[in-house]
Amino acid sequence: MAAPGKHLPAAERRAEAVAAMVALAAEQNPGDITTSAIAQRMGLTQGALFRHFPNKDALLQSVMTWVARRLLDRVAKAVQGAASPLRALEAMFMAHVHFVMEHPGVPRILFGELQRREQTAAKQMVQTLIRHYGERLHLLLEQGKAGGELDSDLDTEAAATLFIGTIQGLVMQALLAGDVEQIRRDAPKVFTIYQRGIRSRS
């Protein structure tokens, strides 16, 4: 983070605000985070923050853009060169887990946005992220079925739902326990059980 009051280009200052929001979300309920708290974390006045984001919702949109780009890029790199669709699924699973461990505020923000009753721009971006993530997941599952590595009768939709839900469960348990490292310990064992349910029996 830049020294308080240091002049930065607008793009860097916006990126710093996103990082501050994600960091604060790891410490408290994202809904309770104020623009004043974000500005204070950045070493700025609230007025200086408003020069880059007119309100908290505008900042949340930037946070969602950052999350979508980083998570989807991380997943794409993880599956490159995987020996098989099942190994790619494992790489995708662990890449997602490690992303959450590095940025524990992110799932808090995502869950918070999805629980909002109104259809905000940030909520729409979360829904778009989930859709794109699901599309990549479905592709790997179908490739696994076509290649005979996964059960030919596998319900791809259900398998994708379980994949995402398993990660969400790991995250929620770790957040409730206040121990992010719990995800690292449990993820490999949990994926082993998941893959037993989807792989081909032949």
Side-chain angles (χ1 to χ4, degrees), residues 86-97:
L86 186 56
R87 295 284 70 81
L89 284 167
E90 182 178 14
M92 183 174 180
F93 189 93
M94 296 309 299
H96 192 154
V97 163

Side-chain angles (χ1 to χ4, degrees), residues 18 77 91:
V18 167
K77 290 178 181 177

Side-chain angles (χ1 to χ4, degrees), residues 12-86:
E12 290 186 32
R13 189 63 82 187
R14 286 193 292 270
E16 186 185 12
V18 167
M21 176 71 184
V22 171
L24 284 168
E27 304 167 7
Q28 64 186 94
N29 180 354
D32 295 335
I33 299 173
T34 63
T35 51
S36 177
I38 295 167
Q40 184 177 10
R41 176 62 66 99
M42 296 170 65
L44 298 177
T45 65
Q46 193 172 12
L49 177 62
F50 284 151
R51 286 199 291 272
H52 302 285
F53 298 100
N55 50 48
K56 184 179 173 182
D57 280 342
L59 175 54
L60 278 169
Q61 290 181 49
S62 288
V63 170
M64 290 303 104
T65 298
W66 180 88
V67 170
R69 183 178 299 120
R70 293 295 182 91
L71 178 57
L72 293 177
D73 284 352
R74 180 79 66 91
V75 165
K77 290 178 181 177
V79 302
Q80 285 179 352
S84 69
L86 186 56

